[in-house]
Amino acid sequence: MPSRGGSGREGLSPAIARDPEGRPGRDGGQGERRHRGRSGAGCGRQWGSAPARRPHPTPPTGAERRRERLRAAQLAPARPSPSFAEHPAYLEITRGRALTRLAGLRDPYYRRHEGRAGPHTRLDGRALLNFTSYDYLGLNGHPEVLAAHREAAERFGTTVSGSRLTSGEREVHAALEAALAETYAAEAGLLFVSGHATPASLFQAILGPGDLILHDALMHNCAVVGAAGVRCHRRAFRHNDLDHLERMLARSRHEHGHVLIVTEGLFSMDGDGAPLEALLRIKERYGAWLMVDEAHALGTLGHTGRGSHEHAGIDPARVDIWFGTLSKALVSCGGYVCGSRALIDILRARAPGLVYSVGMPAPTAAASLAALRIMRREPERVARLQALSSRFHEGLRRAGAEMGTAWGVAILPAIIGTDLATLQAAEALEARGVLAFPVVQPGVPEGAARLRFFISAAHREEELDQALAAIGEVLPRR
């Protein structure tokens, strides 16, 4: 027991002892001074010194804060999960549908076609001329393609049941990759099970926080979304405006490690392509990589259909990355990348869409390999596609259609302007037996809505003329 003159609470006056924080009591602290005076020199705080301060409390640890938040959340009143019917995206979709119905128009999306995609189709039991499918060379359903698909399915089954890294590798993969690489005079190629997801996997494998992607403003959604998901800088240059691109490079190239320029060999909405020779000079001047999306260019451009490099007369080895999809001229599904062996080795080890995904089904790869072999063996298919495209392009011009910068190969837009007028024109065309898809916002900017026509080598001249006559009747007069 400490003495009355010690430092314990027992040595304090009642007024002080009742205050747990050491503040002077009701007597203003006189009791303590009187007490100290009586006790003389002791081991406690001396007469007239400042009162003892309470030590600062230890701040809570991160784990303690998390436990406290969890306790607070558990004690809070439960709230129901939000309904997707209240989601802003759903509300926007329903407003659009309501406006379409108000205008007396049919919803043009997700309509069920009956039968195989090709120059003709059936909708709601009606036979129509079809300009909505990108079977450019007329190979969908070709006997050799079907036989290759069937043989691969019988031999390998309908799935490889694993990532190619582990158990999903098959010889048909390597055969198609080699054939694609040869198309671009590249050292190697690589297949991906999803064409849309291929750019995202590619960008994630080769780019990092200090790098930069510069892409054409009209790039396909797969490249834009893929770039947005990578931890690097991203900027768009105006469509085919290489002066704008070069200004961007001159201003900021030194701030970045790797710079990747991305463009398309044939743009899917406007039907024009990139000026590859000029792009190559820029990328070589600034030490950048160049990637070209060949999804719509393979099978349509060049005298043998090898794509934009054949069309432009350039050495394809000067382009660092060739990317494309198998769903257009090669009538299957999936994506591919062709380039140097070092690039492909990086992707085989690091591309998430390859390493962590099931491999491409063997029948899918076999079908595209058969289609590619037919394209090489029968360049007359490419020549016919290009001749039919020119015929249709000229017919649209005579009908007064606004086609923008379209080259007149495979993809022919008829730009109408407003979304409503474009939807009305599409329905009027269908009533005349011609199916063309209306492309409205957000697929194209406001005021640039259009009908888009895909030409196939399987179309006949008289069918094009029939479609052009109908188009002349329904296009708004300017």
Side-chain angles (χ1 to χ4, degrees):
M1 179 73 66
S3 68
R4 293 179 62 196
S7 59
R9 179 178 292 273
E10 294 84 350
L12 301 179
S13 70
I16 298 297
R18 284 194 299 270
D19 191 331
E21 299 201 10
R23 293 188 296 271
R26 288 188 299 272
D27 63 356
Q30 297 302 316
E32 180 183 11
R33 288 196 290 274
R34 286 194 298 271
H35 167 76
R36 291 296 184 188
R38 287 194 301 270
S39 65
C43 63
R45 179 166 53 86
Q46 297 302 310
W47 185 90
S49 63
R53 294 182 179 179
R54 183 185 181 189
H56 291 294
T58 303
T61 65
E64 289 171 337
R65 286 194 296 268
R66 287 192 293 273
R67 284 195 294 269
E68 183 59 34
R69 286 195 296 268
L70 178 60
R71 281 194 297 269
Q74 291 170 339
L75 294 173
R79 61 180 182 181
S81 299
S83 168
F84 284 111
E86 301 169 357
H87 195 286
Y90 180 74
L91 297 176
E92 181 181 353
I93 291 166
T94 54
R95 282 194 297 270
R97 289 173 177 165
L99 290 173
T100 300
R101 289 193 297 270
L102 189 62
L105 299 171
R106 177 179 48 237
D107 188 337
Y109 305 113
Y110 294 99
R111 300 179 66 193
R112 189 170 301 167
H113 289 245
E114 305 160 20
R116 186 177 73 219
H120 314 102
T121 192
R122 291 185 70 86
L123 274 176
D124 303 324
R126 291 184 64 221
L128 301 167
L129 285 177
N130 183 26
F131 294 90
T132 66
S133 302
Y134 31 63
D135 178 21
Y136 292 128
L137 299 180
L139 295 176
N140 188 28
H142 188 285
E144 288 184 37
V145 174
L146 294 178
H149 188 279
R150 183 168 50 249
E151 180 184 340
E154 291 171 353
R155 182 178 177 188
F156 299 111
T158 55
T159 177
V160 296
S161 294
S163 164
R164 289 178 62 187
L165 183 75
T166 57
S167 62
E169 186 78 6
R170 299 294 184 272
E171 62 188 57
V172 69
H173 296 141
L176 178 54
E177 287 167 348
L180 288 166
E182 193 277 333
T183 300
Y184 297 102
E187 293 177 355
L190 191 61
L191 297 174
F192 289 81
V193 73
S194 166
H196 187 280
T198 298
S201 282
L202 168 70
F203 298 157
Q204 290 174 38
I206 66 172
L207 297 171
D211 298 329
L212 172 66
I213 295 176
L214 294 171
H215 65 80
D216 190 290
L218 298 187
M219 278 301 302
H220 188 270
N221 173 269
C222 68
V224 176
V225 170
V230 181
R231 293 181 303 156
C232 69
H233 301 273
R234 175 178 66 91
R235 300 189 190 109
F237 57 92
R238 290 188 291 270
H239 178 52
N240 278 344
D241 187 341
L242 302 195
D243 289 337
H244 187 208
L245 170 63
E246 187 154 16
R247 287 196 300 273
M248 296 170 78
L249 283 165
R251 184 169 58 247
S252 61
R253 174 65 184 92
H254 64 283
E255 299 173 357
H256 304 282
H258 301 301
V259 174
L260 176 63
I261 302 168
V262 187
T263 190
E264 294 190 25
L266 187 63
F267 285 87
S268 61
M269 289 296 174
D270 288 73
D272 60 353
L276 288 188
E277 179 59 47
L279 270 172
L280 285 168
R281 289 195 297 269
I282 290 175
K283 82 100 178 176
E284 290 162 356
R285 184 179 308 132
Y286 289 92
W289 291 324
L290 177 62
M291 169 177 159
V292 181
D293 178 350
E294 289 286 281
H296 293 271
L298 181 65
T300 65
L301 297 181
H303 65 278
T304 67
R306 288 175 178 257
S308 59
H309 69 86
E310 188 175 54
H311 173 82
I314 64 164
D315 177 4
R318 294 173 64 194
V319 174
D320 303 280
I321 304 171
W322 293 101
F323 153 67
T325 60
L326 306 177
S327 56
K328 281 74 176 179
L330 299 189
V331 294
S332 188
C333 190
Y336 65 86
V337 172
C338 294
S340 70
R341 191 163 301 281
L343 168 67
I344 300 306
D345 280 351
I346 293 171
L347 299 181
R348 286 173 67 87
R350 301 291 175 83
L354 181 80
V355 173
Y356 300 106
S357 171
V358 68
M360 178 178 289
T364 299
S368 284
L369 179 58
L372 184 57
R373 288 171 174 167
I374 295 170
M375 183 193 83
R376 292 181 177 178
R377 188 180 70 227
E378 301 177 10
E380 60 271 19
R381 288 180 178 270
V382 179
R384 176 168 176 78
L385 168 66
Q386 293 170 355
L388 290 173
S389 298
S390 295
R391 183 188 187 102
F392 201 77
H393 185 259
E394 176 60 22
L396 286 177
R397 187 193 64 76
R398 288 198 306 268
E402 169 58 46
M403 292 175 285
T405 55
W407 286 355
V409 180
I411 302 169
L412 282 301
I415 302 170
I416 294 175
T418 69
D419 291 356
L420 178 59
T422 302
L423 292 168
Q424 290 171 333
E427 285 209 2
L429 265 186
E430 185 175 337
R432 291 163 172 79
V434 178
L435 189 66
F437 196 78
V439 183
V440 298
Q441 297 180 82
V444 291
E446 183 179 3
R450 66 201 59 193
L451 298 175
R452 181 175 58 172
F453 298 86
F454 291 122
I455 308 301
S456 170
H459 280 122
R460 299 193 301 269
E461 286 81 353
E462 57 269 26
E463 292 172 338
L464 299 188
D465 295 341
Q466 175 187 339
L468 289 167
I471 292 166
E473 295 174 1
V474 306
L475 279 185
R477 296 300 174 188
R478 293 184 176 273

